[in-house]
Amino acid sequence: MTIEEIIAVRRAEPWREVLRKKIPNKVRAMMPRVKMKELDAVLRSRNNEEVNLGLTPEQAVNEAQRCLDCPNPSCMTGCPVGIHIPTFIKQIETGEFLKAAATLKETSALPAVCGRVCPQEKQCEAQCIHLKMKKEAVAIGYLERFAADCERESGMISVPATAPSNGIKIAVAGSGPAGLSFAGDMAKRGYEVTVFEALHKIGGVLKYGIPAFRLPNAIVDVEIDNLRKMGVKFVNNCIIGKTISYDDLHNDGFKGIFVASGAGLPNFMNIKGENLIGVMSSNEYLTRVNLMDAANPDSDTPVLAGKHVAVIGGGNTAMDSVRTARRLGAERAMIVYRRSEEEMPARIEEVKHAKEEGVEFMTLHNPVEYLGDEKGRVKEMRLQKMQLGEPDASGRRRPVPIEGAIEIIPVDEVIVSVGVSPNPLIPNSFKGLQVSSRGTITVDENTMRSSLDDVYAGGDIVRGGATVILAMGDGRRAAAAMDNSFSGRG
């Protein structure tokens, strides 16, 4: 449905007028935003329990009452997957929590995930009309999580309706958010979808990249289970481009391929000492801890549990890494970031939680060298102090070195989190696939179709590193376009 069609349906629902009369908008606009309860900072910095504890039903209803049910809901324009936001919020307001969850599932394959990790403050909530009135936005993310959690905890999990099978087989490379979103939308349309995952667990970055204290694996598993009930098949330990080739997929009867292989190639700074023992990428660190039980000292490949840990970078992955280090026993856990805190790309909430958990922020510092001991283990880092100059192409003020201002800090572990590059395997193995200079697959932005007619792509393999919800939006767009192609509509 288009936004115009959704608005027309919403205007025809008589219960909305009852709600408007029950609480006038002037009253709704004055209601304060709810505050979600969080696990105690000292306690949580030593365990992997989820930090945000969710809303109570009373809190959820109260927050839903703040929604003004705008005639032209601008919040929806900020949602990459097109969730019917006012509808699910009003269903929460009337106590129809399971209906709210079903509404979310009409357009989102991962509502419980998105309610936890999406940057709503930069997307749907950033478009909330409350902000124009100098008020806090409606807590759309909190409410999304509440509805999804309520359904899961009730045991009455709805499965979105699917069309009868059309017999067309579709392959998906990667089980991260883009792949799962695409798979769900194609299953709804009656396609026979198989998702191939290179690792031993399904979920992609949702499993290996995001720690349990932000996104418990059990939450991801429920969402994946729902896709299975819709008919989506999953194959793990299978690498498209290596285990199975492009030609193999065609020989097996697959008529379309969606590439969602992510950006798993870590970037480094190419400074002296990066090859020392104890220096690793955030990709390696988080994957080993989250997916390979490396935090367990009895593991076959335990990860180094440093006591003085520096994480280089200021994004969400850096926050995940440094907070993980605290949970693994780091006495001093530091974020080293070359700009000021205001320029940090990490979510404000993640920075807040990190500070509460005892993380130290060394902003306006940039590593220039790592020093090792006689055994080749990192023992110190040399930091260049910085100051902010004129804005660069990103709009942020460029960090400029302060001449002669060098600081040496003792460390026994360094985690480098300065971005990622696309996984090169599929771009290198699919002959004729057009790739950008950055290694991303080149696609039509409207259809996500590549230079190969039967190959579509989305998520980090196209964007080079982005959010869960943007990847999901790519998956939905690709599914609609591929279906149009098979149906002769595009």
Side-chain angles (χ1 to χ4, degrees), residues 95-346:
E96 298 175 298
F97 303 150
L98 298 184
K99 282 188 178 180
T103 296
L104 287 167
K105 288 182 178 180
E106 289 175 12
T107 56
S108 174
L110 308 168
V113 171
C114 291
R116 285 169 165 81
V117 303
C118 285
Q120 292 94 3
E121 68 278 4
K122 296 179 181 178
Q123 295 176 319
C124 54
E125 293 180 15
Q127 304 301 322
C128 180
I129 196 170
H130 277 274
L131 296 179
K132 295 180 180 178
M133 300 183 290
K134 307 300 181 183
K135 306 289 185 181
E136 288 188 279
V138 173
I140 298 169
Y142 288 0
L143 293 173
E144 181 179 15
R145 168 182 169 162
F146 170 80
D149 286 359
C150 190
E151 183 192 55
R152 185 185 68 257
E153 291 162 5
S154 75
M156 296 183 286
I157 300 175
S158 64
V159 179
T162 56
S165 175
N166 58 21
I168 300 175
K169 293 174 64 178
I170 304 296
V172 181
S175 65
L180 296 178
S181 180
F182 173 87
D185 273 21
M186 292 300 275
K188 288 176 184 177
R189 292 175 164 93
Y191 292 87
E192 297 180 8
V193 184
T194 301
V195 178
F196 296 90
E197 169 56 49
L199 298 174
H200 61 288
K201 290 187 179 180
I202 303 299
V205 71
L206 303 176
K207 283 286 185 71
Y208 70 75
I210 304 178
F213 55 79
R214 271 219 299 145
L215 180 62
N217 283 342
I219 300 297
V220 182
D221 288 338
V222 169
E223 308 275 48
I224 292 170
D225 236 28
N226 223 34
L227 291 170
R228 284 195 177 97
K229 291 172 183 174
M230 293 167 62
V232 176
K233 299 175 184 177
F234 292 93
V235 178
N236 57 3
N237 297 314
C238 185
I239 308 172
I240 290 184
K242 190 172 184 180
T243 312
I244 297 178
S245 70
Y246 175 81
D247 290 337
D248 290 335
L249 290 171
H250 284 281
N251 292 336
D252 288 342
F254 289 98
K255 303 300 183 184
I257 302 168
F258 180 65
V259 180
S261 51
L265 186 65
N267 294 340
F268 284 90
M269 298 175 65
N270 297 318
I271 61 176
K272 190 175 180 180
E274 276 187 327
N275 61 339
L276 289 169
I277 298 169
V279 180
M280 68 185 78
S281 71
S282 56
N283 292 51
E284 178 187 352
Y285 184 69
L286 291 173
T287 300
R288 288 176 63 185
V289 172
N290 295 337
L291 204 63
M292 301 169 67
D293 194 35
N296 180 356
D298 297 325
S299 166
D300 289 339
T301 56
V303 73
L304 174 65
K307 295 300 180 184
H308 300 272
V309 181
V311 176
I312 316 302
N316 289 324
T317 302
M319 298 305 147
D320 287 343
S321 299
V322 77
R323 295 173 67 197
T324 296
R326 279 290 287 160
R327 284 159 174 78
L328 293 186
E331 296 168 3
R332 187 183 188 189
M334 299 163 275
I335 283 287
V336 178
Y337 184 58
R338 62 181 184 150
R339 288 185 165 98
S340 70
E341 186 174 319
E342 287 69 31
E343 280 79 31
M344 275 189 179

Side-chain angles (χ1 to χ4, degrees), residues 404-421:
I406 296 290
E407 189 173 350
I408 297 178
I409 303 291
V411 290
D412 57 7
E413 185 172 24
V414 176
I415 301 162
V416 182
S417 184
V418 294
V420 289
S421 296

